[in-house]
Amino acid sequence: MATLIRNKLSNAATSVSNKSQAKVSGMFARMGFQAATDEEGLGFAACDDLDYEHRQAVQMDILKTDDVGVGATGEPMAEGDSHYQRDGTGPPPSASKDDGMCAELASQDRPKITAWEAGWNVTNAIQGMFVLGLPYAILHGGYLGLFLIIFAAVVCCYTGKILIACLYEENEDGQLVRVRDSYVDIANACCSPRFPRLGGVIVNVAQLIELVMTCILYVVVSGNLMYNSFPTLPVSQKSWAIMATAALLPCAFLKNLKAVSKFSLLCTLAHFVINILVIAYCLSRARDWAWDKVKFYIDVKKFPISIGIIVFSYTSQIFLPSLEGNMQKPKEFHCMMNWTHIAACILKGLFALVAYLTWADATKEVITDNLPSTIRAVVNIFLVAKALLSYPLPFFAAVEVFEKSIFQQGERSIFPNCYGEGGRLKSWGLSLRCALVVFTLLMAIYVPHFALLMGLTGSLTGAGLCFLLPSLFHLKLLWRKLLWHHVFFDVAIFVIGGICSISGFIHSMEGLIEAYKYNIND
């Protein structure tokens, strides 16, 4: 009799346990999780009973935390934490999903931009004042230079799209999920697991070189424009560059770009007005255009420099991941890239061709130097103002990359933090910023050749960031999902970009050495 009673009690307990397990498993299935095993089901059942009794206390703990998935101690909840809710309001069960939700919630708090605003930012990057060197590229490339302006637009538009594709991966449901946030994240993902940080170092170095070279070019073009605007004054181009740098020293004290961003729209509008003035003057001399000077053959020695100039004028890949992540409708990114690069291609091609037809073989490295003295002074002063107001943007970006890479790596950093309590910049950190400004001045003084520097930068870092790395990363991360024509395009871009980069770098260096050796002025 005792044995019979014991068996009945055991069967009843088992039945209750199975019902509880089925209830909890069904609840998790409705929430989107897979069914639990027997041991997991029993654990969930016990946890469910405890949670039912203390639900209000747990909810108060969650309300006290700042972020979803952060415990009362301020540390992220570990995988398998039992603080879940019956109504599904608790954190997701895995750290990766929790991080994604935190990132999604954080991104929702940021102000989003429309496709038109994103397109305006891309236009500012690829329609800047460096288009002033494109007629010089036509001088050495002829009709092939015009073709390269179109070709570079198509390739840069394509590599920008595939770079953004590397930010996404498919989840279990086949939906694309953004798992990376920056160019550096993509590079690190390609080099992991053997060298998880090597790719980020390479991209950071390339970005730093391009940003610093952009700052140098702004100083060079400021000295060049002022010297050619007032040739009768007893002031050399180097002296004008020094005066321009003196006006740029306050950039070392920048904490953010709020004070500078107010002028960005005015600068861009002024630049469009200047381009229109140059084109209007060229059209006024349309009867004298030298169509016979546009060559079908190329200058083998100087044409690779033109390639670097054209590529550098299209560089925008550095900030595309951040731009796409802040769009209201990321699906409109491809359309935005299409119309911005089509517009840039048309405007650059027309500007370069019309300017070259007007001055032909007399075309100078900075096309405004060809204008009559009465117009040149006014136009160049506006351009110098734009250059000086544009300098803080790449300078501040270079400082951020430099500081985060070397001085703000926590325990991994070999140097102390350059910021003290309250986020105040230490004196030696300020000295390093001033040293960077002086370095851009020294480079502008000793290498005052705008087109050669622009070609060198475009060949060295522009081709790498716009052609080589995006195609390589696309092949590495999405190899199994690519169609044959995507593989063909990526390989072709990598090979052609590599050849152009190497040849452009060699010939730009040869040009700089020749100009320095024989003291050739712009």
Side-chain angles (χ1 to χ4, degrees), residues 512-520:
L512 287 173
I513 293 172
E514 182 180 351
Y516 184 78
K517 183 178 180 180
Y518 297 104
N519 195 24
I520 300 175

Side-chain angles (χ1 to χ4, degrees), residues 132 271-289 347 350-359 367-368 371-372 375 379:
L132 299 177
H271 179 64
F272 276 109
V273 171
I274 292 168
N275 286 350
I276 291 174
L277 290 176
V278 173
I279 292 178
Y281 176 81
C282 294
L283 291 176
S284 68
R285 297 183 53 188
R287 291 178 296 179
D288 301 326
W289 281 357
L347 293 177
L350 289 177
F351 180 84
L353 179 61
V354 168
Y356 175 74
L357 289 174
T358 303
W359 289 287
I367 195 61
T368 54
L371 292 171
I375 305 175
V379 172

Side-chain angles (χ1 to χ4, degrees), residues 184-201:
V184 174
D185 291 343
I186 297 173
N188 286 333
C190 288
C191 294
S192 62
R194 290 188 176 181
F195 307 101
R197 298 189 179 278
L198 178 61
V201 171

Side-chain angles (χ1 to χ4, degrees), residues 10-228:
S10 177
N11 291 336
T14 302
S15 177
V16 172
S17 176
N18 291 336
K19 289 180 180 180
S20 178
Q21 175 184 346
K23 178 182 177 181
V24 174
S25 299
M27 178 188 70
F28 273 85
R30 288 192 299 273
M31 292 168 59
F33 299 106
Q34 295 179 352
T37 61
D38 294 342
E39 292 80 3
E40 290 172 341
L42 291 174
F44 284 139
C47 187
D48 187 72
D49 293 335
L50 292 173
D51 185 80
Y52 181 77
E53 296 172 1
H54 302 285
R55 191 192 327 184
Q56 297 299 325
V58 174
Q59 287 177 339
M60 291 301 296
D61 289 340
I62 294 175
L63 290 174
K64 289 178 182 179
T65 57
D66 295 332
D67 299 315
V68 177
V70 178
T73 60
E75 298 293 330
M77 291 181 181
E79 185 173 349
D81 198 326
S82 60
H83 289 177
Y84 66 91
Q85 300 293 317
R86 285 177 181 262
D87 56 359
T89 58
S94 65
S96 60
K97 292 183 180 179
D98 185 54
D99 293 340
M101 181 175 289
C102 289
E104 183 179 354
L105 292 176
S107 63
Q108 290 176 355
D109 295 335
R110 302 195 203 108
K112 297 292 185 177
I113 59 176
T114 63
W116 285 102
E117 292 170 332
W120 179 255
N121 285 320
V122 174
T123 301
N124 287 342
I126 62 179
Q127 295 273 34
M129 64 184 302
F130 296 119
V131 299
L132 299 177
L134 290 180
Y136 187 77
I138 303 299
L139 173 65
H140 297 297
Y143 286 109
L144 187 55
L146 287 174
F147 169 77
L148 276 178
I149 292 177
I150 301 173
F151 178 76
V154 174
V155 173
C156 288
C157 181
Y158 173 76
T159 55
K161 294 176 182 178
I162 64 175
L163 185 68
I164 295 304
C166 293
L167 298 173
Y168 291 84
E169 288 185 3
E170 290 186 357
N171 60 9
E172 296 84 354
D173 299 328
Q175 298 177 344
L176 290 177
V177 179
R178 204 173 201 262
V179 296
R180 303 176 187 96
D181 293 322
S182 65
Y183 209 143
V184 174
D185 291 343
I186 297 173
N188 286 333
C190 288
C191 294
S192 62
R194 290 188 176 181
F195 307 101
R197 298 189 179 278
L198 178 61
V201 171
I202 294 174
V203 170
N204 277 332
V205 170
Q207 288 180 350
L208 191 60
I209 292 174
E210 179 157 332
L211 291 169
V212 172
M213 290 297 289
T214 303
C215 294
I216 295 171
L217 284 170
Y218 281 132
V219 178
V220 170
V221 77
S222 298
N224 180 292
L225 292 172
M226 293 302 295
Y227 176 73
N228 287 284

Side-chain angles (χ1 to χ4, degrees), residues 147-163 307 310-311 314-317 320 337-338 341-342 345 462-471 488-498 500:
F147 169 77
L148 276 178
I149 292 177
I150 301 173
F151 178 76
V154 174
V155 173
C156 288
C157 181
Y158 173 76
T159 55
K161 294 176 182 178
I162 64 175
L163 185 68
I307 297 176
I310 294 171
V311 171
Y314 279 106
T315 53
S316 64
Q317 271 75 359
L320 287 183
M337 289 289 290
N338 290 337
H341 283 74
I342 290 174
C345 173
L465 293 172
C466 294
F467 293 171
L468 304 180
L469 293 182
S471 57
F488 174 78
F489 289 154
D490 291 347
V491 173
I493 290 172
F494 184 84
V495 173
I496 296 173
C500 294

Side-chain angles (χ1 to χ4, degrees), residues 171-494:
N171 60 9
E172 296 84 354
D173 299 328
Q175 298 177 344
L176 290 177
V177 179
R178 204 173 201 262
V179 296
R180 303 176 187 96
D181 293 322
S182 65
Y183 209 143
V184 174
D185 291 343
I186 297 173
N188 286 333
C190 288
C191 294
S192 62
R194 290 188 176 181
F195 307 101
R197 298 189 179 278
L198 178 61
V201 171
I202 294 174
V203 170
N204 277 332
V205 170
Q207 288 180 350
L208 191 60
I209 292 174
E210 179 157 332
L211 291 169
V212 172
M213 290 297 289
T214 303
C215 294
I216 295 171
L217 284 170
Y218 281 132
V219 178
V220 170
V221 77
S222 298
N224 180 292
L225 292 172
M226 293 302 295
Y227 176 73
N228 287 284
S229 298
F230 306 99
T232 57
L233 294 179
V235 183
S236 65
Q237 180 174 334
K238 295 180 180 179
S239 300
W240 283 116
I242 293 173
M243 286 187 278
T245 307
L248 295 172
L249 274 176
C251 294
F253 298 88
L254 283 175
K255 292 184 178 180
N256 53 62
L257 293 177
K258 289 183 179 179
V260 181
S261 60
K262 297 179 182 179
F263 300 98
S264 61
L265 178 60
L266 295 177
C267 290
T268 305
L269 292 176
H271 179 64
F272 276 109
V273 171
I274 292 168
N275 286 350
I276 291 174
L277 290 176
V278 173
I279 292 178
Y281 176 81
C282 294
L283 291 176
S284 68
R285 297 183 53 188
R287 291 178 296 179
D288 301 326
W289 281 357
W291 286 98
D292 58 321
K293 295 292 184 178
V294 185
K295 304 177 291 291
F296 282 96
Y297 63 91
I298 62 174
D299 187 337
V300 178
K301 187 175 181 180
K302 293 186 177 181
F303 180 67
I305 303 174
S306 302
I307 297 176
I309 294 173
I310 294 171
V311 171
F312 186 74
S313 69
Y314 279 106
T315 53
S316 64
Q317 271 75 359
I318 293 177
F319 64 87
L320 287 183
S322 174
L323 193 68
E324 190 266 352
N326 285 280
M327 290 180 63
Q328 292 178 358
K329 299 178 179 179
K331 63 182 180 180
E332 297 179 350
F333 177 82
H334 283 205
C335 179
M336 180 272 296
M337 289 289 290
N338 290 337
W339 64 259
T340 52
H341 283 74
I342 290 174
C345 173
I346 295 174
L347 293 177
K348 287 181 178 182
L350 289 177
F351 180 84
L353 179 61
V354 168
Y356 175 74
L357 289 174
T358 303
W359 289 287
D361 294 338
T363 301
K364 296 184 179 180
E365 292 188 0
V366 182
I367 195 61
T368 54
D369 291 341
N370 289 103
L371 292 171
S373 57
T374 53
I375 305 175
R376 184 197 315 157
V378 176
V379 172
N380 284 355
I381 288 174
F382 277 101
L383 281 174
V384 170
K386 174 176 171 51
L388 296 180
L389 290 173
S390 301
Y391 180 96
L393 299 172
F395 175 82
F396 190 78
V399 166
E400 278 196 325
V401 172
F402 188 70
E403 289 178 349
K404 290 181 179 179
S405 301
I406 299 179
F407 300 106
Q408 296 179 355
Q409 288 289 331
E411 296 180 354
R412 298 191 304 270
S413 178
I414 59 177
F415 297 100
N417 197 329
C418 56
Y419 289 93
E421 297 181 359
R424 295 186 60 183
L425 184 65
K426 295 180 180 179
S427 56
W428 62 269
L430 180 61
S431 301
L432 289 177
R433 290 189 175 194
C434 294
L436 182 58
V437 177
V438 175
F439 174 75
T440 60
L441 169 65
L442 294 176
M443 287 292 294
I445 288 177
Y446 288 102
V447 194
H449 300 277
F450 178 76
L452 291 175
L453 277 177
M454 188 175 171
L456 178 65
T457 307
S459 301
L460 182 62
T461 60
L465 293 172
C466 294
F467 293 171
L468 304 180
L469 293 182
S471 57
L472 183 63
F473 294 163
H474 194 228
L475 289 171
K476 176 68 168 60
L477 293 176
L478 302 175
W479 172 258
R480 297 182 178 179
K481 301 175 183 178
L482 297 179
L483 301 176
W484 69 267
H485 60 276
H486 292 149
V487 176
F488 174 78
F489 289 154
D490 291 347
V491 173
I493 290 172
F494 184 84

